[in-house]
Amino acid sequence: MLVRSCSPSLHRVSRHAPKPSRRLFQAMHPSEIQLITIQGHKQMINQDQDDTRTQKTAIDRRGLLKMTSAGVAALGAMSIFDATIAKAQDMSNGASNFYTSDKVTLQKVTFKTQYQTNVAGNLFLPKNLDQASKNPAIIVGHPMGAVKEQSANLYATKMAEQGFVAMSIDLPFWGESEGQSRNLVSPEAYAEAFSASVDFLGSHAFVDRTNIGAIGVCGSGSFVISAAKIDPRIKAVATVSMYDMGAAFRDALNKSQTVEQRKQFIATAAEQRWAEADGSNIQYIGGTTLELAADTDPIQREFYDFYRTPRGEFTPEGVARETTTKPTLSSSVKFMNFYPFNDIETISRPMLFISGDQAHSKEFSKDAYNRASEPKELVWVKGAGHVDLYDRVDLIPFDKLKGFFDQHLA
């Protein structure tokens, strides 16, 4: 069974333990998986096998092997093991995460949300843009656990090449955007970032505020849908390799997690919240493994090839590499209350869902498409997996995206 950090299965933490941060959190994987605590930039992995209280409250390993079959395949899983296998990145099919273009200009920007926190973005403008006229604009959100320099910049650059004003953003608590604690899960704040992006873009004289659309890659697909349900200013929505982060945490892939298993994880997160309230260090869960082993599962390898090799790895300034891609344990339960596809039919604006026909996440695009009202379209990219559509420009249907926004942002 595969493990993903969207809904990790962990040993519970005793609130009354003298040093809760010293717990060994093990998740279901052929290898042992641990949570990490970061103080500054120092990785601390602590183990206390003799804690009988932890043993008594631990989730049965058989249960662990049934839980979280891929809760956040979007994030991968963190494995600790003895043997490692070196693996060079796969740059096939035009993998080009760090693509730049001499046809566009880049400007780093920041702007306020309704919470008066700053969102960081990269604004891409075609060099031949007529700034005396009103132009359509597109917002691009990055995969969950990533930052704008991973996939979002690529999509924004490519759309700017096609004549659009385009802006990639860092979700709150990630990358260069504000928010403490870092890597905190807050679906409402994530959705608000898209609406704040509309505010910002619409304040520019060269942007047609009646023609602003959005692209959400992976987890951001569900966040932009959440935003669009209550913000009709987002005129057209496209998702790529979408993850419903709520369903991923509640049910795992293919609804392989039970309600009881979900409750066990919620209890673990609650114990960790007590620990943090009592002064213990923040715990991070899941994320992409830092090394590969012979028994690393295929989906984890897919994420590793992007997040842990020069193909797509990026560590923001001031962030420890060990915590990149990893949300905080105590906040991750907020995804349990996240239902982005409920009432999706009320959007009633153009929606385009793009997924690889080999993607482990394709169930989410199919579900959203089935629930959405017209106009809508579902595009399967033949032979493409989930992560392939992060950066493989020979597979990503940019022509389809261009046609969609040309038609609906006019």
Side-chain angles (χ1 to χ4, degrees):
M1 186 65 70
L2 305 178
V3 61
R4 302 290 169 261
S5 60
C6 256
S7 43
S9 309
L10 309 170
H11 282 300
R12 297 180 62 184
V13 184
S14 172
R15 177 192 173 192
H16 303 291
K19 294 183 179 180
S21 62
R22 290 180 58 82
R23 294 295 169 271
L24 168 63
F25 294 84
Q26 297 175 329
M28 33 177 289
H29 189 278
S31 305
E32 291 302 308
I33 297 174
Q34 298 173 323
L35 289 187
I36 62 175
T37 299
I38 297 295
Q39 290 182 312
H41 303 305
K42 181 179 180 182
Q43 181 180 17
M44 302 175 63
I45 302 178
N46 299 303
Q47 181 172 349
D48 186 358
Q49 295 177 330
D50 297 327
D51 191 328
T52 57
R53 285 172 295 184
T54 298
Q55 292 173 352
K56 289 178 181 178
T57 58
I59 300 172
D60 175 76
R61 185 162 182 80
R62 181 184 298 272
L64 290 174
L65 291 172
K66 295 178 180 178
M67 289 178 66
T68 60
S69 60
V72 169
L75 297 177
M78 178 185 176
S79 303
I80 305 297
F81 37 69
D82 295 326
T84 61
I85 298 176
K87 177 175 170 58
Q89 72 270 23
D90 176 5
M91 299 300 290
S92 64
N93 291 304
S96 189
N97 179 69
F98 298 106
Y99 174 79
T100 59
S101 174
D102 59 7
K103 300 177 182 178
V104 306
T105 62
L106 165 62
Q107 178 185 354
K108 296 183 73 67
V109 298
T110 59
F111 48 92
K112 295 288 187 182
T113 68
Q114 283 192 330
Y115 307 123
Q116 296 304 302
T117 57
N118 283 323
V119 170
N122 286 337
L123 182 63
F124 297 87
L125 301 178
K127 285 186 175 180
N128 62 355
L129 182 74
D130 181 2
Q131 296 200 24
S133 64
K134 299 289 188 179
N135 299 275
I138 299 171
I139 305 153
V140 185
H142 57 74
M144 178 60 201
V147 291
K148 63 184 179 300
E149 288 79 10
Q150 294 166 310
S151 189
N153 276 356
L154 169 63
Y155 275 79
T157 301
K158 287 291 187 178
M159 299 314 295
E161 284 185 333
Q162 302 297 329
F164 296 95
V165 173
M167 183 174 69
S168 61
I169 61 170
D170 279 326
L171 296 177
F173 309 101
W174 298 87
E176 295 178 302
S177 287
E178 285 185 346
Q180 295 292 336
S181 300
R182 303 310 294 167
N183 301 16
L184 187 125
V185 170
S186 180
E188 182 179 0
Y190 298 164
E192 162 61 17
F194 283 94
S195 290
S197 298
V198 175
D199 297 340
F200 175 76
L201 288 173
S203 69
H204 290 76
F206 55 81
V207 170
D208 181 354
R209 61 169 55 186
T210 67
N211 282 302
I212 299 175
I215 298 172
V217 181
C218 186
S220 278
S222 59
F223 307 143
V224 72
I225 287 174
S226 181
K229 287 192 297 183
I230 59 172
D231 193 342
R233 300 176 305 164
I234 302 174
K235 189 175 180 181
V237 172
T239 69
V240 181
S241 289
M242 179 168 56
Y243 247 78
D244 175 347
M245 297 304 300
F249 263 80
R250 287 186 299 274
D251 306 319
L253 288 184
N254 301 311
K255 301 187 184 302
S256 57
Q257 179 168 272
T258 68
V259 172
E260 182 56 35
Q261 290 165 341
R262 183 193 310 170
K263 290 179 177 179
Q264 290 175 320
F265 173 67
I266 292 172
T268 299
E271 289 289 344
Q272 175 58 23
R273 183 156 181 161
W274 273 126
E276 291 171 12
D278 291 339
S280 293
N281 294 318
I282 292 172
Q283 298 281 359
Y284 299 84
I285 60 171
T288 302
T289 183
L290 299 174
E291 301 288 349
L292 292 179
D295 57 0
T296 302
D297 67 73
I299 297 178
Q300 178 58 258
R301 290 175 181 273
E302 183 182 5
F303 285 102
Y304 177 93
D305 189 71
F306 181 79
Y307 286 113
R308 300 302 184 202
T309 73
R311 173 185 162 197
E313 183 167 14
F314 185 88
T315 301
E317 184 178 353
V319 175
R321 178 177 183 263
E322 291 81 6
T323 61
T324 57
T325 76
K326 302 169 173 40
T328 66
L329 167 60
S330 61
S331 71
S332 62
V333 291
K334 291 180 171 62
F335 276 138
M336 301 288 187
N337 279 343
F338 183 50
Y339 293 84
F341 298 168
N342 283 9
D343 298 325
I344 189 175
E345 72 279 2
T346 65
I347 293 177
S348 300
R349 298 187 298 283
M351 303 192 74
L352 172 65
F353 306 97
I354 298 172
S355 175
D357 67 356
Q358 301 302 308
H360 62 264
S361 58
K362 64 183 181 181
E363 64 182 275
F364 302 120
S365 294
K366 184 177 181 181
D367 184 24
Y369 173 79
N370 288 338
R371 296 195 198 191
S373 57
E374 297 287 350
K376 61 181 179 179
E377 186 174 2
L378 175 60
V379 174
W380 297 113
V381 179
K382 186 175 181 180
H386 177 87
V387 181
D388 287 335
L389 299 186
Y390 284 12
D391 68 330
R392 299 195 190 282
V393 296
D394 293 348
L395 295 176
I396 299 169
F398 286 113
D399 287 346
K400 183 66 180 180
L401 286 165
K402 179 184 185 302
F404 173 75
F405 287 114
D406 277 343
Q407 178 182 356
H408 299 296
L409 299 183

